[in-house]
Amino acid sequence: MNVVAGKTIWITGASSGIGKGLALALAAHGARLVLSGRNHDALAAVAADCPGSLIEAFDATDLDALPGIVARVEAATGGIDWLVNNAGISQRSLALDTEFGVYRSLMEVDFFAPLRLTQLLLPAMVARAKDGRVGRIINNASVAGKVGSPLRTGYCAAKHALVGWSDALRAEIAQHGVQVHVLTPGFVATGIGANALTGDGSQKGAGDDPVDAGISIHEAAAQIIAGILADMPEIPVGRDGAPEMQLLMLKRQDPDRCFATMAAMAPKRPR
């Protein structure tokens, strides 16, 4: 039985990376999609392979515009079944080199934006759940939302916040029939490394980055969908046995060793 067919699913950050992979896979399963991101042309390219999808381009951090956007999307679709909070930005800079504004940007994009969008959609999801239309909120965190990783202090802070909020939200709204899933991807071959913020807020740019050797966006999408359909609260996404995926278990089993591993990875800076 295809339980995805006919579901209305809103994906942010849908123009590339994991969001694009999910859009293509969910469309193949017969879902009706709302595709969001900042780049309308890039969204249109994805939508061309997702029949019947709706494009809603906007800046995720424009919180004042979100109520109107949500009202428009709900009116056009009749309601959202699944919300995939996927839009995000990473970081590649030491804390000692990072301007405060970079931290603000990371928190706005990676935490406050998904929180606010969820907050606006949640009441209608709860109301529809009473009629048996089960809603799902899927928040894309990261292994960095579970483990403190060098060069990513702001990114880790935002993703840890996203995981903590998701866990608490799940506990609160389980009684209402709305499910919350947290994704903890390791290395997935996307542009997140090239687009990561440096200490002054500029983009890192293309170059050697461990994510480039990760699994494909299609492999990631398949793992995510399988986890959602298995009702997994937390869904690890990555290559079995990969070092970054092993950190999830190491953090639980031996946090001191996990910290030592991360400290050894930190770039050395002259005092």
Side-chain angles (χ1 to χ4, degrees):
M1 179 180 178
N2 185 357
V3 299
V4 177
K7 298 291 185 187
T8 301
I9 302 174
W10 192 347
I11 306 172
T12 69
S15 61
S16 63
I18 291 175
K20 176 181 177 179
L22 278 172
L24 297 174
L26 290 167
H29 282 286
R32 300 171 57 219
L33 302 179
V34 179
L35 305 177
S36 289
R38 291 179 298 174
N39 188 324
H40 186 280
D41 290 344
L43 290 171
V46 176
D49 294 320
C50 303
S53 57
L54 171 69
I55 296 173
E56 189 65 51
F58 64 94
D59 185 334
T61 63
D62 188 357
L63 303 186
D64 291 338
L66 277 182
I69 292 168
V70 168
R72 185 164 62 244
V73 168
E74 291 241 314
T77 62
I80 300 299
D81 296 303
W82 297 9
L83 170 63
V84 183
N85 283 312
N86 171 72
I89 191 166
S90 191
Q91 174 194 10
R92 298 293 186 272
S93 61
L94 292 167
L96 288 170
D97 300 328
T98 303
E99 297 174 3
F100 179 69
V102 173
Y103 287 106
R104 292 292 296 264
S105 295
L106 289 162
M107 290 298 295
E108 289 289 345
V109 174
D110 292 340
F111 180 58
F112 287 115
L115 184 155
R116 182 58 175 148
L117 184 55
T118 302
Q119 188 178 44
L120 291 167
L121 284 168
L122 190 55
M125 277 189 168
V126 169
R128 286 192 294 273
K130 295 177 182 177
D131 299 322
R133 189 172 167 182
V134 175
R136 295 181 189 268
I137 298 163
I138 299 106
N139 292 327
N140 191 0
S142 168
V143 169
K146 308 289 285 187
V147 177
S149 180
L151 298 174
R152 297 161 177 81
T153 50
Y155 183 64
C156 287
K159 292 301 189 179
H160 273 70
L162 185 64
V163 171
W165 170 66
S166 299
D167 288 349
L169 182 65
R170 181 187 305 112
E172 289 185 8
I173 65 174
Q175 62 185 306
H176 300 297
V178 178
Q179 300 184 32
V180 178
H181 306 269
V182 171
L183 312 180
T184 56
F187 295 155
V188 180
T190 70
I192 194 168
N195 294 327
L197 301 183
T198 62
D200 63 4
S202 61
Q203 288 189 344
K204 169 183 167 289
D208 184 37
D209 198 283
V211 301
D212 298 336
I215 63 173
S216 73
I217 59 173
H218 307 294
E219 292 175 279
Q223 292 180 21
I224 291 166
I225 294 170
I228 292 169
L229 297 183
D231 291 327
M232 294 173 61
E234 190 169 294
I235 304 170
V237 182
R239 187 172 289 115
D240 285 344
E244 77 277 9
M245 304 310 294
Q246 293 178 352
L247 289 172
L248 294 172
M249 184 63 70
L250 184 63
K251 178 66 180 291
R252 290 192 291 267
Q253 295 180 339
D254 192 345
D256 289 342
R257 183 181 169 200
C258 184
F259 168 74
T261 299
M262 292 295 95
M265 292 172 58
K268 301 304 179 277
R269 176 189 170 106
R271 294 185 178 181

